[in-house]
Amino acid sequence: MSKTMQEPTFLILTALADGAQHGYGIISDVERISDGRTRLRAGTLYAALDRLQAEGLIAADHEEVVDGRLRRYYRLTDDGAAALAAEVDALRRRAEVAARRLAAFPRLGGTSPAFAGPFPRGVR
């Protein structure tokens, strides 16, 4: 059984799934993706980028100098895309289980569109 991906990792990989980005771009994109719930600090981001690079999930893409400062861009690797896809699949399965169970919750009665859709066989 694989370990659940931490939310900051999920959000960083999701940001990079749209293409190579530099640090500030990733911070901004993560905030957008999370509807403002997650605001990564620079130190947290760069520690995560170092770890994700060491794990082979992202790679340095290119560098450019803007206003005298070096910007390093990062991209998602094939392994990173596979890890993100696996996490998306796991999240989808868990959300389907939760939706199915909520559909039977007496006070909700399954009136939300979140309750619609196919559920995995044998899941209650």
Side-chain angles (χ1 to χ4, degrees):
M1 180 175 192
S2 65
K3 182 181 165 193
T4 299
M5 187 179 288
Q6 295 297 310
E7 186 175 29
T9 297
F10 177 80
L11 293 169
I12 291 167
L13 295 181
T14 299
L16 293 176
D18 200 34
Q21 294 191 56
H22 57 83
Y24 182 74
I26 295 169
I27 287 171
S28 299
D29 205 10
V30 162
E31 190 169 4
R32 266 191 306 280
I33 293 166
S34 69
D35 292 325
R37 288 183 317 116
T38 301
R39 173 93 172 127
L40 297 174
R41 293 180 184 218
T44 302
L45 173 68
Y46 287 104
L49 292 175
D50 287 345
R51 178 180 52 79
L52 294 171
Q53 204 167 6
E55 292 173 0
L57 300 180
I58 66 169
D61 188 69
H62 66 279
E63 296 177 342
E64 68 180 0
V65 177
V66 177
D67 296 328
R69 296 187 63 182
L70 182 67
R71 275 190 187 165
R72 179 172 292 137
Y73 286 74
Y74 297 88
R75 65 175 171 77
L76 193 63
T77 63
D78 290 344
D79 286 347
L84 181 59
E87 185 66 12
V88 166
D89 186 53
L91 288 168
R92 183 176 291 125
R93 285 192 317 269
R94 290 193 301 270
E96 288 171 349
V97 170
R100 182 174 184 142
R101 290 179 181 189
L102 280 171
F105 196 74
R107 285 184 251 167
L108 295 178
T111 58
S112 169
F115 303 132
F119 298 102
R121 186 183 301 176
V123 176
R124 296 179 192 194

